[in-house]
Amino acid sequence: MLMEEAKGGKVTRQIEEVARAEGVSVEFVRRGVAAGRIVIPSNVRRQRRAVGIGEGLRVKVNANVGTSPDYVNPEEEVEKARVAVRYGADSVMDLSIGGDLDQIRRMILEAVEVPIGTVPVYQASVEAVARRGHVIDMSSDDIFNTIRKHAEDGVDFVTVHCGVTRDVVETLRRKGRLLKMVSRGGSLLAAWMIHHGRENPLYAEFDYLLELAREFDLTLSLGDGMRPGCLADASDAAQFHELLTLGELVKRARKANVQAMVEGPGHLPLNQVEMNVRLEKAVCDGAPFYVLGPVVTDVAPGYDHLVAAIGGALAAWAGADFLCYVTPTEHLGLPSVEDVKAGVIATRIAAHVADVAKGRDLRWDNEISEARKRFDWARQIALAIDPDLAREIRSRRPPVMDPKACSMCSQYCALKLAEEYLREAQKR
Amino acid sequence: MLMEEAKGGKVTRQIEEVARAEGVSVEFVRRGVAAGRIVIPSNVRRQRRAVGIGEGLRVKVNANVGTSPDYVNPEEEVEKARVAVRYGADSVMDLSIGGDLDQIRRMILEAVEVPIGTVPVYQASVEAVARRGHVIDMSSDDIFNTIRKHAEDGVDFVTVHCGVTRDVVETLRRKGRLLKMVSRGGSLLAAWMIHHGRENPLYAEFDYLLELAREFDLTLSLGDGMRPGCLADASDAAQFHELLTLGELVKRARKANVQAMVEGPGHLPLNQVEMNVRLEKAVCDGAPFYVLGPVVTDVAPGYDHLVAAIGGALAAWAGADFLCYVTPTEHLGLPSVEDVKAGVIATRIAAHVADVAKGRDLRWDNEISEARKRFDWARQIALAIDPDLAREIRSRRPPVMDPKACSMCSQYCALKLAEEYLREAQKR
């Protein structure tokens, strides 16, 4: 139990690995894990790369992959996971809901070194449909047994929508919304609760969930079933009622030595991003904040990776620790491998922009700028976040008149002129 | 003279047009123009669409087009201008430095309705090279005569790097920088000044420039020759020394009834964006701020449209009025028509995100979200910022099991589940 060991003063293998990767002291990481302000999702059965998420560490990026009932191609999902990691994803979530879910999950767990997350309630409801015809035809046991199965397979973190309580659903119902719910897991649970007239098992039996998590050192990612799905619904009562509930559950998780992070919106106008982050940090006592986007306008399907990069950069600068990527196909369909790459790179850029704004990782920027100063194109391209694309763009319209410059300015290159004449000024 | 008329209480055709387009009162626009906090670039010789830029108005987007010595294809530049306007550019700047510059400029002035800007010192130095062999072989008269020629052609605004004074260049020289200058116009002038040992004519003879501007009601865009070209150089003495100079020139321009805006960075870390905007607004007494990007990390050539959208959204939210687009080819080469489209859309998204954050233009977001709620895909796509792309993505992986949903979630669509079960809850 990582958190228990950290509380007891022990520096584990994971803590050492994270400290080394981040360039911080092991003591800093140990204290963060002990306090619950840093999580290192690392199932006792898997034990691959240790990735730290939380206060004082670099901003991390998650990529979602997974089949849908419409498109089932396990090899493609594995390829998406590999491409995501190649372009800088720090974790991968398998959100499959079509095909042989056990097989796909195990293939992804095997294929990449980064922490893997899942949303077990998906599988529980997909199996309910297969066995009994409808998503709500699942028992509380079905849900917990699926979580156990995922944990046994080595899944490092699971999204559990524990905050979708009857009270929170009642707030949603009373208050109303343009788009009621856009969280797949949250809506499955809400449907189940309403249909059966029962409390959310993940809330009612949270202690059992903690026991289960402890057994595998499974990190809980407390899902935001009430995340707003459009700007009109942002920062409303349902969203914050759920967040307050999650704040209580974070405390209970920490007491039980279970690592927990908190998921957040969603669609938010830019002016609400910082507030949402600070609110989570206050209400959840600094628990790592894992945001989806935020998507800061609803009008750009096809460009939602870019929209989420705007929101994500600001959120991460304000303190969000973990950015879930959004791909260009969000709101339109299942992403392809190319879309996964576009989503990861956009989100990586957002994360890096925030790290740099916090004064971290400036070396990368300075190195590429120094290469730019020297007109060292090979080095500039090698240092680019996507060297293949940078090379391709430059080769599309290569410089003609002046091979040192680029085809935009050619001999009128400002850098060259300024270097030449300022040197002349110096000599006088 | 628009500003003079506005000061005198007159509501001109341009002021009416802007007020109508923005949904604000003519009195608001008139006061803004009179105070110099709103500019409406509108050469007396052209008189096409009136576009207002400044306080209290929607954030505007400029797209740069233009040939380079390496690639000269006037028709393609005209097509870029047309595509830019089609995707939402509010103005176009012709930055051509290759081929028949007069012809290209006139073709672009003819082709689109939006205000057109240029940087006349480019042509002055290109002609200096052609006639005498070097960029610095131009006279002060050459520069002013080129400005006059552009004004006579109907150019609505010109970038003039008046703040690149000897003092400012000396600050740059003394202080040093990783990338000395990245402004093409600024570096041409600095080279000229250093070589000839003379003051910048655009500063020394600023009163003459104002006279010339008055003759055509030409709006001055006071260029930032010292804009930082990498994060390492951001917010340094040279940049702000120039800005202070521009603040003084804004006052002189207003006194002469010449409309003026101020150009800004450039490469800035995210944490310096808001400060830069507020500083400009303070130092330049609320003059419209026209920013290039800001580019908030140096490491992503190929994705600089996205990087600039992050910086631009934050800048515009903080008060920048006018975003100059950045294309994916920035730092690598001359953009193609497709790159222009990508740059305009990314910057349009940034501008809209800022408008929405300021509580403006929420209707568009709400309409697309309402279509989403109704599963009205045709309407969602029609309302998307790029309907063709949205349609193409959806058709790439169309829904199979449930045509109402999308291929990501199919029958597990959260929206559908929540609507269905919350309605059920309501009935009880």
Side-chain angles (χ1 to χ4, degrees):
Chain A
M1 293 301 303
L2 190 56
M3 193 173 194
E4 193 171 9
E5 291 175 300
K7 284 181 184 170
K10 190 167 170 214
V11 171
T12 66
R13 188 265 307 170
Q14 290 93 335
I15 290 173
E16 275 180 1
E17 208 175 311
V18 167
R20 203 163 42 240
E22 302 277 344
V24 297
S25 70
V26 289
E27 196 48 25
F28 178 84
V29 178
R30 188 196 64 74
R31 280 176 197 269
V33 172
R37 288 165 173 254
I38 291 174
V39 298
I40 309 177
S42 177
N43 186 317
V44 290
R45 302 233 176 152
R46 191 152 175 269
Q47 302 290 307
R48 301 265 183 109
R49 186 190 303 168
V51 173
I53 300 162
E55 213 172 84
L57 306 183
R58 276 192 207 92
V59 177
K60 302 303 183 300
V61 169
N62 174 73
N64 293 333
V65 304
T67 57
S68 82
D70 289 351
Y71 295 93
V72 179
N73 181 341
E75 285 71 29
E76 190 184 352
E77 299 312 320
V78 168
E79 177 61 11
K80 286 182 194 172
R82 289 211 178 96
V83 164
V85 173
R86 185 178 321 138
Y87 287 102
D90 300 288
S91 69
V92 169
M93 290 191 80
D94 171 25
L95 306 189
S96 290
I97 51 171
D100 182 342
L101 303 186
D102 289 336
Q103 183 209 9
I104 298 164
R105 181 176 61 255
R106 287 162 194 162
M107 285 168 72
I108 291 168
L109 280 160
E110 191 49 45
V112 292
E113 290 300 309
V114 298
I116 298 296
T118 60
V119 189
V121 76
Y122 293 172
Q123 185 167 10
S125 67
V126 167
E127 290 177 353
V129 170
R131 283 201 295 245
R132 299 179 206 110
H134 206 285
V135 295
I136 41 83
D137 293 332
M138 57 184 171
S139 68
S140 161
D141 277 357
D142 289 339
I143 297 172
F144 284 106
N145 287 340
T146 311
I147 297 173
R148 171 173 291 277
K149 182 158 68 170
H150 286 212
E152 283 172 348
D153 279 354
V155 163
D156 300 293
F157 63 103
V158 288
T159 293
V160 276
H161 300 85
C162 308
V164 180
T165 64
R166 296 180 84 165
D167 283 354
V168 168
V169 172
E170 180 54 24
T171 300
L172 170 66
R173 207 188 52 70
R174 213 174 45 233
K175 192 254 174 195
R177 253 187 184 185
L178 182 51
L179 300 181
K180 305 269 186 308
M181 291 179 80
V182 295
S183 156
R184 206 155 68 179
S187 66
L188 288 168
L189 284 162
W192 186 92
M193 291 158 62
I194 291 167
H195 183 80
H196 296 287
R198 287 180 55 191
E199 182 53 281
N200 180 350
L202 296 172
Y203 179 76
E205 298 166 62
F206 189 66
D207 285 331
Y208 177 55
L209 178 62
L210 292 175
E211 259 179 59
L212 215 165
R214 246 196 332 262
E215 192 179 335
F216 300 92
D217 218 345
L218 183 65
T219 296
L220 300 184
S221 188
L222 300 171
D224 56 333
M226 297 297 161
R227 72 167 167 272
C230 61
L231 298 192
D233 297 333
S235 302
D236 73 349
Q239 184 196 331
F240 293 144
H241 191 168
E242 180 186 42
L243 182 64
L244 295 174
T245 311
L246 297 184
E248 288 168 29
L249 300 181
V250 163
K251 286 198 191 85
R252 287 169 63 186
R254 287 176 181 176
K255 211 177 214 173
N257 293 322
V258 169
Q259 300 191 91
M261 54 187 164
V262 172
E263 298 185 10
H267 290 241
L268 290 180
L270 199 65
N271 57 310
Q272 294 180 6
V273 171
E274 184 182 340
M275 174 274 280
N276 268 267
V277 176
R278 291 189 193 279
L279 182 59
E280 185 276 346
K281 289 288 177 182
V283 165
C284 303
D285 189 28
F289 197 25
Y290 177 22
V291 297
L292 174 57
V295 173
V296 288
T297 176
D298 306 332
V299 304
Y303 296 89
D304 278 322
H305 60 311
L306 185 150
V307 171
I310 296 174
L314 190 58
W317 179 37
D321 308 283
F322 195 19
L323 302 179
C324 185
Y325 87 164
V326 171
T327 78
T329 73
E330 185 77 20
H331 305 106
L332 294 168
L334 196 70
S336 67
V337 173
E338 268 308 298
D339 297 319
V340 166
K341 178 186 162 182
V344 168
I345 289 184
T347 316
R348 256 276 126 245
I349 288 172
H352 178 67
V353 161
D355 282 333
V356 160
K358 291 188 255 181
R360 285 196 68 135
D361 283 336
L362 273 159
R363 211 178 58 183
W364 186 12
D365 291 76
N366 292 345
E367 279 179 4
I368 200 168
S369 299
E370 277 157 18
R372 208 162 265 163
K373 180 194 175 76
R374 294 191 310 268
F375 301 95
D376 182 344
W377 287 94
R379 180 91 183 126
Q380 272 183 75
I381 286 169
L383 282 166
I385 196 163
D386 184 356
D388 294 339
L389 178 66
R391 190 178 303 109
E392 196 267 308
I393 290 177
R394 186 163 156 87
S395 67
R396 225 188 282 156
R397 278 187 167 168
V400 179
M401 315 273 279
D402 184 344
K404 268 182 83 177
C406 85
S407 61
M408 184 179 284
C409 301
S410 193
Q411 73 263 44
Y412 300 93
C413 174
L415 277 176
K416 285 185 58 186
L417 277 171
E419 283 294 337
E420 183 182 343
Y421 284 92
L422 284 163
R423 203 177 308 119
E424 188 179 317
Q426 206 84 34
K427 279 194 225 127
R428 288 178 186 176
Chain B
M1 293 299 304
L2 189 58
M3 193 173 193
E4 195 172 5
E5 292 175 298
K7 283 180 185 172
K10 188 166 172 215
V11 171
T12 66
R13 189 263 309 170
Q14 290 94 336
I15 289 174
E16 274 180 4
E17 207 175 315
V18 167
R20 201 163 41 238
E22 302 277 344
V24 296
S25 70
V26 289
E27 195 47 27
F28 178 84
V29 179
R30 188 196 63 76
R31 279 173 198 270
V33 172
R37 287 163 174 257
I38 290 174
V39 299
I40 308 178
S42 178
N43 186 317
V44 290
R45 301 235 178 150
R46 191 153 174 269
Q47 302 290 309
R48 301 267 183 108
R49 187 189 304 168
V51 172
I53 301 162
E55 217 172 82
L57 306 184
R58 277 193 206 89
V59 177
K60 302 303 183 300
V61 169
N62 174 71
N64 292 334
V65 304
T67 57
S68 83
D70 289 352
Y71 296 91
V72 179
N73 181 342
E75 284 72 28
E76 190 183 352
E77 300 311 321
V78 168
E79 177 61 12
K80 285 183 194 172
R82 289 212 177 96
V83 164
V85 173
R86 186 179 321 141
Y87 287 102
D90 299 288
S91 69
V92 169
M93 290 191 78
D94 171 26
L95 307 187
S96 290
I97 52 171
D100 182 342
L101 302 186
D102 289 335
Q103 183 209 9
I104 298 165
R105 182 177 59 256
R106 288 162 193 162
M107 285 168 71
I108 290 169
L109 280 161
E110 192 47 46
V112 292
E113 290 300 309
V114 298
I116 298 295
T118 59
V119 190
V121 75
Y122 293 173
Q123 184 167 11
S125 67
V126 167
E127 290 177 353
V129 170
R131 284 201 294 245
R132 300 178 206 109
H134 207 285
V135 295
I136 41 84
D137 292 333
M138 57 184 171
S139 68
S140 161
D141 277 355
D142 290 338
I143 296 173
F144 284 106
N145 288 339
T146 311
I147 296 173
R148 170 172 290 278
K149 181 158 67 172
H150 287 212
E152 283 170 348
D153 280 353
V155 163
D156 300 292
F157 62 103
V158 289
T159 294
V160 276
H161 300 84
C162 308
V164 181
T165 64
R166 296 181 84 164
D167 282 355
V168 168
V169 172
E170 179 55 23
T171 299
L172 170 67
R173 208 187 52 69
R174 214 173 46 233
K175 191 258 175 190
R177 254 187 183 184
L178 181 50
L179 300 180
K180 305 270 186 306
M181 291 179 81
V182 295
S183 156
R184 206 154 70 178
S187 67
L188 287 168
L189 283 162
W192 186 92
M193 291 158 62
I194 291 166
H195 183 80
H196 297 287
R198 287 179 55 190
E199 183 53 280
N200 179 351
L202 296 172
Y203 179 77
E205 299 165 62
F206 189 66
D207 286 330
Y208 176 55
L209 178 62
L210 292 176
E211 259 179 60
L212 216 164
R214 244 193 335 259
E215 192 179 336
F216 299 92
D217 217 345
L218 183 64
T219 296
L220 300 184
S221 187
L222 300 171
D224 57 331
M226 296 298 161
R227 71 168 169 271
C230 60
L231 298 192
D233 296 334
S235 302
D236 73 349
Q239 183 195 328
F240 292 144
H241 191 168
E242 181 186 42
L243 182 64
L244 295 175
T245 310
L246 298 184
E248 289 170 29
L249 299 181
V250 164
K251 286 199 192 86
R252 287 169 63 186
R254 288 176 180 177
K255 210 177 216 171
N257 292 323
V258 169
Q259 299 191 91
M261 55 187 164
V262 172
E263 297 185 11
H267 290 241
L268 291 179
L270 199 65
N271 57 310
Q272 294 180 7
V273 171
E274 184 182 339
M275 173 273 282
N276 268 267
V277 175
R278 292 189 192 278
L279 183 59
E280 186 276 346
K281 289 287 176 182
V283 165
C284 302
D285 188 28
F289 197 25
Y290 177 21
V291 297
L292 176 56
V295 173
V296 289
T297 176
D298 307 333
V299 304
Y303 297 89
D304 279 322
H305 59 311
L306 185 150
V307 170
I310 297 174
L314 191 58
W317 179 38
D321 307 284
F322 195 20
L323 303 179
C324 184
Y325 88 164
V326 172
T327 78
T329 73
E330 185 76 22
H331 303 107
L332 294 168
L334 197 70
S336 67
V337 172
E338 268 308 297
D339 297 320
V340 166
K341 177 186 164 183
V344 168
I345 289 184
T347 315
R348 255 278 126 244
I349 289 172
H352 178 68
V353 161
D355 282 333
V356 160
K358 290 188 257 180
R360 284 195 70 132
D361 282 338
L362 274 159
R363 212 178 56 182
W364 186 12
D365 291 76
N366 292 346
E367 279 178 3
I368 199 167
S369 299
E370 278 157 18
R372 208 162 264 161
K373 179 194 177 76
R374 295 191 310 267
F375 301 96
D376 182 345
W377 287 94
R379 180 92 183 125
Q380 272 183 77
I381 286 168
L383 282 166
I385 195 163
D386 184 355
D388 294 339
L389 179 67
R391 189 177 303 111
E392 195 267 307
I393 290 178
R394 184 161 157 89
S395 67
R396 224 188 284 154
R397 278 187 168 168
V400 179
M401 315 271 281
D402 184 346
K404 267 182 84 177
C406 85
S407 61
M408 183 175 292
C409 300
S410 193
Q411 71 263 46
Y412 300 94
C413 174
L415 277 177
K416 285 184 57 186
L417 277 172
E419 283 294 339
E420 182 182 343
Y421 285 92
L422 283 165
R423 203 176 309 120
E424 187 178 319
Q426 205 82 35
K427 280 194 226 126
R428 288 179 187 175

